[in-house]
Amino acid sequence: MTTRKIFDAHHHLWKLDHCDYPWLMAKGVKRFFGDPAPIQKDYLVEDFQYDAKSFALVGSTHIQVGVAESDAVKETTWLQGQGDEKGLPSAIVGFADLTPNDIETTLSAHMQNKRFRGVRQIIGRHPSEDEKTGTGALIENPRFLHGLQLLAQNDLSFDLQLTAAHYDGALQLFRQLPALKLAICHFASPWDLSQAGFDQWRGAMKEFAQLPNTAMKFSGFGMFKHDWTAEDIRPYVDTALEFFGEDRCMAGSNFPVDKLYGGYDRIWRALETLIADDLLYEKITLTNAAWFYGVSLRD
């Protein structure tokens, strides 16, 4: 059997004595996705490559992982060094609070690193945590809109993590930003897996798909249903392909967070089951993400 080439569009790395990651340091505190204790240790390129050993991992995008704001550029610089030395990650989506008046300075510092491609500032995680963080209010903050405009002007992307409560507000916001490259993380966090929840999600995704530069990530489903199967994600994969098309969908492992609930092969093998066409599978698991994040794939 030929080893599949993949580009992992959504994963994390961390070195706990290099940057401050508050949630990784908080022992005994459960998160919206479960108990993080098993992953509260270094997760380096070598660990990632070992988990992905069943595949030819030709590229990847690192997504910011809750580093303290004061260490956000430091995280990006460390990742740049890892990429230069070890080949991964190929692209970096860092953290930046887009609302301060000096956001241009912060973005400029990130952009000194040639693998830097964009920003993720989380809007929604889970209703229980959103109540505490208040991050959903970003949607109505004019400074946040200004920061997003700066991303578009600098040909940078935005990774959007949100929950159903924010769908309508986010649509109103991002309709003002047609030029911004937008990646929707984790199937847009469908926490409500009932039929009613699915219907709401489907209606919102139809609207998001009208945004011309928006892509959907098949990732992170283990956060919503720890024991998911390929059939559980089939309606979400099929709907995303229906609305976004075969060129605007990509896949990521969300490792090591999703490692809490299964091996690395899980999402890629599930997609093999769901996407029988080899050319389409290659687009979803390889070329689309490389194109979106501006990575040149070489044999």
Side-chain angles (χ1 to χ4, degrees), residues 103-149:
I103 181 56
E104 291 181 77
T105 300
T106 301
L107 291 179
S108 178
H110 277 297
M111 291 169 66
Q112 297 306 305
N113 300 284
K114 63 183 181 181
R115 295 173 189 257
F116 180 71
R117 295 293 187 271
V119 165
R120 180 175 74 161
Q121 184 173 10
I122 293 176
I123 291 172
R125 296 168 175 84
H126 181 271
S128 63
E129 290 198 10
D130 295 345
E131 290 176 4
K132 300 173 185 176
T133 64
T135 51
L138 285 168
I139 292 172
E140 298 178 355
N141 186 333
R143 295 297 310 171
F144 185 59
L145 172 60
H146 174 69
L148 292 168
Q149 290 169 332

Side-chain angles (χ1 to χ4, degrees), residues 178-228:
L180 179 64
K181 290 174 66 177
L182 184 67
I184 300 175
C185 300
H186 307 329
F187 290 100
S189 302
W191 284 102
D192 183 353
L193 299 176
S194 69
Q195 185 62 50
F198 176 79
D199 291 344
Q200 180 192 13
W201 174 86
R202 179 179 166 86
M205 293 312 102
K206 185 175 183 179
E207 296 300 316
F208 273 110
Q210 301 306 308
L211 304 175
N213 290 299
T214 298
M216 171 64 77
K217 283 189 187 179
F218 302 166
S219 62
F221 206 81
M223 295 190 294
F224 319 118
K225 191 175 192 293
H226 302 335
D227 59 348
W228 65 269

Side-chain angles (χ1 to χ4, degrees), residues 221-292:
F221 206 81
M223 295 190 294
F224 319 118
K225 191 175 192 293
H226 302 335
D227 59 348
W228 65 269
T229 67
E231 290 309 307
D232 290 322
I233 67 168
R234 182 183 295 278
Y236 299 91
V237 168
D238 288 350
T239 298
L241 287 170
E242 176 187 352
F243 291 153
F244 290 87
E246 62 182 38
D247 295 324
R248 291 195 290 149
C249 293
M250 51 186 163
S253 67
N254 196 37
F255 257 51
V257 176
D258 267 40
K259 190 174 182 177
L260 292 169
Y261 307 112
Y264 188 84
D265 296 12
R266 192 179 191 187
I267 189 168
W268 314 98
R269 299 305 184 201
L271 289 174
E272 284 181 348
T273 298
L274 299 174
I275 303 173
D277 182 88
D278 284 344
L279 185 58
L280 178 56
Y281 183 90
E282 182 177 296
K283 283 187 173 185
I284 303 302
T285 63
L286 181 63
T287 55
N288 287 352
W291 173 83
F292 186 91

